């Protein structure tokens, strides 16, 4: 069975559900789709298809990249906030899934609970894409892997160091890197490290690569090819901002910390970024930063995902 046949109609709940070969296929497809756009080619394999986009969490990159992406592929995107549909007024997710399956060709949902995404997928008869939950952010990591491959020429054998909160980005980076043969080191203070069960799950995919959890950012960054950061207080944690600023004070990505990585290391961030907090201006706006190319690749990686699942 070809990858095209394997992936058609599938959900993307986490990258744990995809094999190394399937992820590699998506990255290759993303590269081809990106090249077509750069060359000005019209590529519309999803003409007549409709993607419903459920947002219970606001977004810049997720909304614009999915909405622009489905349009560029010839389809239509429908923005559905929790204020617009009955799921925000107590309708069971199972009912919403069944109703939307009769109208749409795919659903992307950006929400809080991973279980809500899983329940939606279980009851839908069309592909469901996890646009972000409190536990996972698989679409971002597809774009991240695409960016790393563009900059480094390969994935296997590299090392990525993530500095900051052990959140959905840390979880998905651990899984994605372990799947693709990248060593990954997560540096976070006690009380803010990734969930133990997700860490163990990620380690189960590491075939020759290493998944390290530490409270020492220098240990994590040593000999890294990629340094990655995220905000210290994610959406919904704003009330913890001052507490987190104190807890993460030693976890800022700055010139001194960067000096422990390889000389040609690149800096990545899923954005939005708080300059002067998790990363200094010198790093994020410096020559080794690829954050805006990474952000653009959300468009190309997600177009590949939609083509593969909805085509």
């Amino acid at each position: 069975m070809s990858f095209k046949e394997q992936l058609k109609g599938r959900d993307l709940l986490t990258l744990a559900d995809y094999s190394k070969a399937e992820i590699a296929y998506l990255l290759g497809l993303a590269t081809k789709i990106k090249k077509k756009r750069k060359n000005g080619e019209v590529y519309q394999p999803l003409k007549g298809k409709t993607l419903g986009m459920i947002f219970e969490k606001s977004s810049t990159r997720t909304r614009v990249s999915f909405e622009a992406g489905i349009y560029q592929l010839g389809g239509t995107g429908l923005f559905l906030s929790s204020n617009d549909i009955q799921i925000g007024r107590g309708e069971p997710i199972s009912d919403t899934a069944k109703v939307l399956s009769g109208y749409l060709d795919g659903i992307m949902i950006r929400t809080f609970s991973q279980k809500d995404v899983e329940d939606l997928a279980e009851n839908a008869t069309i592909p469901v894409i996890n646009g972000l939950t409190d536990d996972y952010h698989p679409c971002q990591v597809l774009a991240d892997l695409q960016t790393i491959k563009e900059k480094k020429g390969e994935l296997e054998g590299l090392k990525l160091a993530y500095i900051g909160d052990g959140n959905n980005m840390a979880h998905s980076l651990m899984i994605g890197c372990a799947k693709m043969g990248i060593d990954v080191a997560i540096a976070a203070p006690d009380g803010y490290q990734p969930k133990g069960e997700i860490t163990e799950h990620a380690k189960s995919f590491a075939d020759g690569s290493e998944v390290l959890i530490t409270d020492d950012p220098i240990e994590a960054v040593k000999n890294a090819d990629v340094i990655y950061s995220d905000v210290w207080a994610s959406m919904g944690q704003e009330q913890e901002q001052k507490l987190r600023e104190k807890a993460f004070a030693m976890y800022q990505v700055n010139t001194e910390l960067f000096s422990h990585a390889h000389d040609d290391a690149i800096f990545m961030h899923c954005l939005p970024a708080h300059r002067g907090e998790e990363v200094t201006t010198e790093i994020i706006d410096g020559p080794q930063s690829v954050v805006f190319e990474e952000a653009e690749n959300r468009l190309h990686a997600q177009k590949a995902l939609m083509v593969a699942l909805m085509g």
Side-chain angles (χ1 to χ4, degrees):
M1 183 184 294
S2 68
F3 287 115
K4 185 176 180 180
E5 293 169 320
Q6 283 182 38
L7 293 172
K8 186 175 181 180
R10 292 261 296 274
D11 302 313
L12 176 64
L13 307 184
T14 88
L15 287 176
D17 301 330
Y18 283 57
S19 69
K20 179 178 181 178
E22 288 170 339
I23 294 172
Y25 170 79
L26 288 171
L27 297 179
L29 182 57
T31 298
K32 292 175 184 176
I33 289 173
K34 181 176 183 177
K35 186 176 180 180
K36 287 178 184 294
R37 177 162 173 78
K38 297 298 182 183
N39 290 339
E41 295 180 43
V42 176
Y43 177 63
Q44 296 189 328
L46 298 186
K47 198 167 184 178
K49 304 272 188 175
T50 306
L51 176 74
M53 304 179 298
I54 300 174
F55 284 88
E56 293 190 303
K57 280 189 175 185
S58 59
S59 168
T60 298
R61 279 148 293 278
T62 299
R63 178 174 179 181
V64 177
S65 56
F66 268 106
E67 193 162 345
I70 187 67
Y71 174 78
Q72 290 167 16
L73 293 170
T76 301
L78 298 178
F79 174 77
L80 306 169
S81 79
S82 55
N83 295 324
D84 298 325
I85 57 177
Q86 296 300 328
I87 197 171
R89 298 180 177 86
E91 179 174 73
I93 289 175
S94 57
D95 287 1
T96 298
K98 292 168 186 174
V99 169
L100 293 183
S101 293
Y103 300 149
L104 305 170
D105 301 286
I107 300 170
M108 187 284 299
I109 179 169
R110 182 179 169 97
T111 187
F112 296 88
S113 168
Q114 180 69 17
K115 187 176 186 306
D116 286 350
V117 178
E118 292 169 357
D119 289 346
L120 187 69
E122 183 179 348
N123 289 278
T125 56
I126 55 177
V128 172
I129 298 170
N130 179 359
L132 174 142
T133 64
D134 288 345
D135 284 334
Y136 299 104
H137 199 352
C139 291
Q140 176 67 53
V141 174
L142 282 175
D144 295 339
L145 292 171
Q146 181 184 355
T147 307
I148 295 168
K149 195 169 192 307
E150 287 176 353
K151 295 300 177 181
K152 296 297 182 180
E154 59 184 356
L155 295 176
E156 199 156 348
L158 297 176
K159 178 183 177 181
L160 180 145
Y162 172 92
I163 313 299
D165 188 25
N167 57 14
N168 49 11
M169 277 311 313
H171 294 158
S172 288
L173 283 167
M174 284 193 298
I175 292 170
C177 287
K179 287 263 186 181
M180 303 311 290
I182 302 173
D183 290 338
V184 57
I186 308 291
D190 289 340
Y192 296 96
Q193 294 183 346
K195 291 183 177 180
E197 64 272 21
I198 296 178
T199 299
E200 292 307 309
H201 195 38
K203 287 181 177 179
S204 72
F205 301 124
D207 184 11
S209 58
E210 181 183 13
V211 177
L212 171 69
I213 309 297
T214 179
D215 61 2
D216 184 351
I218 293 177
E219 179 186 14
V221 165
K222 187 176 180 182
N223 297 322
D225 301 286
V226 182
I227 299 178
Y228 203 115
S229 186
D230 192 8
V231 293
W232 291 339
S234 297
M235 197 176 301
Q237 299 172 334
E238 290 83 0
Q239 71 281 5
E240 302 175 25
Q241 180 67 32
K242 294 301 180 184
L243 178 65
R244 285 172 172 265
E245 285 178 9
K246 184 177 180 180
F248 286 96
M250 302 302 294
Y251 292 81
Q252 183 186 72
V253 177
N254 51 37
T255 303
E256 194 284 324
L257 184 61
F258 221 89
S259 69
H260 297 278
H262 285 312
D263 291 342
D264 63 348
I266 58 174
F267 175 73
M268 303 181 75
H269 193 300
C270 55
L271 301 178
H274 294 168
R275 288 166 173 79
E277 290 183 19
E278 74 273 8
V279 61
T280 60
T281 299
E282 291 78 11
I283 294 296
I284 193 170
D285 294 325
Q288 289 169 278
S289 174
V290 298
V291 297
F292 296 110
E293 293 154 279
E294 174 189 5
E296 181 191 328
N297 280 339
R298 287 290 303 276
L299 173 68
H300 309 302
Q302 288 161 189
K303 285 170 74 174
L305 186 63
M306 288 187 283
V307 169
L309 304 189
M310 296 170 56

